Short mmCIF file of all heavy atoms in Angstrom, two decimals:
data_model
loop_
_atom_site.label_atom_id
_atom_site.label_comp_id
_atom_site.label_asym_id
_atom_site.label_seq_id
_atom_site.Cartn_x
_atom_site.Cartn_y
_atom_site.Cartn_z
N LEU A 48 0.16 15.64 1.99
CA LEU A 48 0.53 16.94 2.63
C LEU A 48 1.90 16.86 3.20
O LEU A 48 2.66 17.77 3.04
CB LEU A 48 -0.53 17.29 3.69
CG LEU A 48 -1.93 17.69 3.23
CD1 LEU A 48 -2.88 17.78 4.38
CD2 LEU A 48 -1.85 18.99 2.43
N ILE A 49 2.25 15.80 3.87
CA ILE A 49 3.55 15.65 4.50
C ILE A 49 4.60 15.66 3.40
O ILE A 49 5.60 16.40 3.50
CB ILE A 49 3.62 14.29 5.24
CG1 ILE A 49 2.78 14.39 6.50
CG2 ILE A 49 5.12 13.95 5.70
CD1 ILE A 49 2.57 13.10 7.32
N GLU A 50 4.39 14.95 2.28
CA GLU A 50 5.30 14.90 1.18
C GLU A 50 5.54 16.40 0.67
O GLU A 50 6.64 16.71 0.22
CB GLU A 50 4.74 14.14 0.01
CG GLU A 50 5.10 12.62 0.16
CD GLU A 50 4.51 11.77 -0.96
OE1 GLU A 50 4.20 12.27 -2.08
OE2 GLU A 50 4.21 10.61 -0.59
N SER A 51 4.50 17.21 0.66
CA SER A 51 4.71 18.60 0.15
C SER A 51 5.11 19.57 1.30
O SER A 51 5.03 20.76 1.04
CB SER A 51 3.45 19.03 -0.63
OG SER A 51 2.26 18.37 -0.27
N GLY A 52 5.44 19.05 2.41
CA GLY A 52 5.99 19.86 3.53
C GLY A 52 4.98 20.61 4.32
O GLY A 52 5.38 21.53 5.08
N VAL A 53 3.68 20.29 4.20
CA VAL A 53 2.69 21.03 4.99
C VAL A 53 2.68 20.47 6.41
O VAL A 53 2.57 19.28 6.63
CB VAL A 53 1.31 20.86 4.37
CG1 VAL A 53 0.17 21.55 5.20
CG2 VAL A 53 1.29 21.42 2.96
N GLN A 54 2.79 21.37 7.39
CA GLN A 54 2.83 20.92 8.79
C GLN A 54 1.52 20.93 9.58
O GLN A 54 1.23 20.11 10.44
CB GLN A 54 3.89 21.67 9.55
CG GLN A 54 5.36 21.41 9.01
CD GLN A 54 6.40 22.07 9.83
OE1 GLN A 54 6.12 22.95 10.62
NE2 GLN A 54 7.64 21.59 9.62
N ARG A 55 0.67 21.88 9.12
CA ARG A 55 -0.64 22.00 9.79
C ARG A 55 -1.65 22.47 8.75
O ARG A 55 -1.31 23.09 7.86
CB ARG A 55 -0.67 22.77 11.04
CG ARG A 55 -0.19 24.25 10.78
CD ARG A 55 -0.24 25.03 12.14
NE ARG A 55 -0.01 26.42 11.90
CZ ARG A 55 -0.27 27.40 12.75
NH1 ARG A 55 -0.72 27.13 13.93
NH2 ARG A 55 -0.07 28.62 12.42
N ILE A 56 -2.87 22.03 9.02
CA ILE A 56 -3.96 22.37 8.05
C ILE A 56 -5.29 22.51 8.85
O ILE A 56 -5.52 21.80 9.86
CB ILE A 56 -4.03 21.27 6.99
CG1 ILE A 56 -4.88 21.73 5.82
CG2 ILE A 56 -4.57 19.94 7.54
CD1 ILE A 56 -4.74 20.93 4.57
N SER A 57 -6.12 23.50 8.42
CA SER A 57 -7.39 23.65 9.05
C SER A 57 -8.37 22.68 8.38
O SER A 57 -8.14 22.21 7.28
CB SER A 57 -7.87 25.06 8.79
OG SER A 57 -8.13 25.30 7.43
N SER A 58 -9.46 22.44 9.07
CA SER A 58 -10.48 21.51 8.50
C SER A 58 -11.09 22.16 7.21
O SER A 58 -11.43 21.45 6.25
CB SER A 58 -11.64 21.23 9.50
OG SER A 58 -12.15 22.44 10.00
N LYS A 59 -11.06 23.50 7.14
CA LYS A 59 -11.50 24.17 5.96
C LYS A 59 -10.58 23.92 4.76
O LYS A 59 -11.11 23.57 3.65
CB LYS A 59 -11.56 25.69 6.20
CG LYS A 59 -12.53 26.44 5.39
CD LYS A 59 -12.65 27.89 5.81
CE LYS A 59 -13.11 28.76 4.74
NZ LYS A 59 -12.98 30.24 5.03
N GLU A 60 -9.28 24.05 4.92
CA GLU A 60 -8.36 23.76 3.82
C GLU A 60 -8.41 22.28 3.38
O GLU A 60 -8.44 21.95 2.20
CB GLU A 60 -6.95 24.06 4.26
CG GLU A 60 -6.58 25.57 4.32
CD GLU A 60 -5.27 25.78 5.07
OE1 GLU A 60 -5.20 25.42 6.29
OE2 GLU A 60 -4.27 26.17 4.43
N LEU A 61 -8.43 21.40 4.42
CA LEU A 61 -8.51 20.01 4.13
C LEU A 61 -9.83 19.66 3.34
O LEU A 61 -9.83 18.88 2.40
CB LEU A 61 -8.44 19.14 5.43
CG LEU A 61 -8.15 17.72 5.34
CD1 LEU A 61 -6.89 17.41 4.57
CD2 LEU A 61 -8.08 17.04 6.75
#
Side-chain angles (χ1 to χ4, degrees):
Chain A
L48 288 171
I49 291 170
E50 276 176 27
S51 24
V53 177
Q54 294 186 344
R55 58 180 189 164
I56 194 164
S57 66
S58 52
K59 205 174 155 188
E60 288 167 293
L61 194 54

